[in-house]
Amino acid sequence: YRDLHTFELQAPTRVIEWARGSRICVAGYGQSGRNEILQLITPPALQAKETQGLCPERDFKVECGGFSKRAVYSLKYVPDTSLLVTSGPPDSSLQVWQVSTEDSDVIKSVSTIATENATGQLWAKIATISARAPWVLHGSTLDSVQITEVELRKNVYTAGSQDSEELAGLAFLNSSTAVLCCTRGQLCVADVRQPRGALQAMPAPAAPCGDRWCLGTTCAAQGSGLGAQPVARLSSGGLLTLTDLRKASEPLASAMARVPFPGSGTEFLCVSWAPALQGCLAVSGFDGTVHVYDTQSWDSSGREAEPLFVHKGHALGGSGDPALVTVHTWHPQKPRTVLSAASDNSLHVWDWVQP
């Protein structure tokens, strides 16, 4: 490691979201009815443009916080605003939060975005963007996907689909296009400029029946095309596939992640592209580690890939049951800096050294 910081949360989190400046938001996912939502200032050493050597302040600091009566399974900062959107069981409704102003340290609930027939539905996957207005893309199944203007709570898009397939994830590719991933691995692309436009379905990767999938992509620049960044999918069996949406009939590349217990669980599967490191992605959710891979040499053979780096800090800490990494995310500017959290309440930020 070039640098490693640790912080102990009051409860485990499955969300790490970059907010304004050098801040992150985390939230608990317990069923107790009192889950913290915290905005943390990252350690000063992480904010420096270059490594500064020893730094007297090496810890995270709580800047503001609030409490959610619901478990928070997903949390997104709405760009260019002071709003957060969260989702979680027992239904697919969304909660909107106002982050504190300068004279307050409270994150307060301001509204709820209800969805049709939300009762009994799965919790909603969410993505946000502010290209035209503060929008949230949300849905738990293909036929429930919609876009809501956050501040007005006005529906601006509904997917034209009759398929009730469960969603594993969704994301904006740019201001006019979104990608949806089903738990069985199928991708769909939506043109959000068409209020009830049909979804463009793409085939699922060849994988054992019963595998569940998750999605990894990056928000493209305004006006960029579908091929600006391949879409990554990760299966519960450890298969990674990269897809160019302009030629989606077959994978651009595929490989097997070196995971110890493939298929052991699917709740915390996570794959993400490095925003400032060409061709690198990270994988977690199988055990107490985070694996970093360089995809630039991958082909379509599906062979096992050798990780560039493995973060084992969560697996080595504490006692009792082994920790399971619940989420990870990359620093938006620092190429090899990653944040990760685990089921033992630990939060790590680490900067790995290039081999």
Side-chain angles (χ1 to χ4, degrees), residues 253-338:
S254 63
M256 286 297 298
R258 185 175 291 182
V259 295
F261 308 111
S264 59
T266 61
E267 185 177 7
F268 301 117
L269 286 182
C270 185
V271 57
S272 63
W273 284 105
L277 198 62
Q278 184 66 32
C280 280
L281 55 74
V283 167
S284 66
F286 294 93
D287 60 5
T289 65
V290 182
H291 289 209
V292 177
Y293 293 94
D294 183 355
T295 68
Q296 295 180 91
S297 62
W298 288 6
D299 54 25
S300 58
S301 65
R303 291 193 296 263
E304 184 176 271
E306 180 75 23
L308 276 178
F309 186 80
V310 180
H311 175 59
K312 301 179 181 179
H314 299 285
L316 299 176
S319 58
D321 294 336
L324 174 64
V325 172
T326 54
V327 67
H328 74 264
T329 189
W330 293 81
H331 192 288
Q333 286 91 33
K334 291 181 176 288
R336 285 183 291 275
T337 299
V338 184

Side-chain angles (χ1 to χ4, degrees), residues 14-15 27-30 35 37 68 70-75 86-88:
R14 58 188 294 164
V15 293
Y29 62 88
N35 292 287
I37 300 178
S68 171
R70 305 162 64 110
V72 178
Y73 278 30
S74 185
L75 180 154
T86 64
S87 66

Side-chain angles (χ1 to χ4, degrees), residues 3 12 16 23 26 70 83 85 91-92 113 147 160 166 176 191 193 196 202 208 316 327 338 343 352-354:
D3 209 355
I16 303 175
R23 295 161 174 82
V26 297
R70 305 162 64 110
L83 300 175
V85 180
D91 57 39
S92 62
I113 297 175
I147 293 175
E166 181 184 350
S176 59
D191 184 343
R193 295 168 297 186
R196 291 198 64 88
M202 301 177 181
L316 299 176
V327 67
V338 184
S343 56
W352 52 282
V353 177
Q354 179 71 33

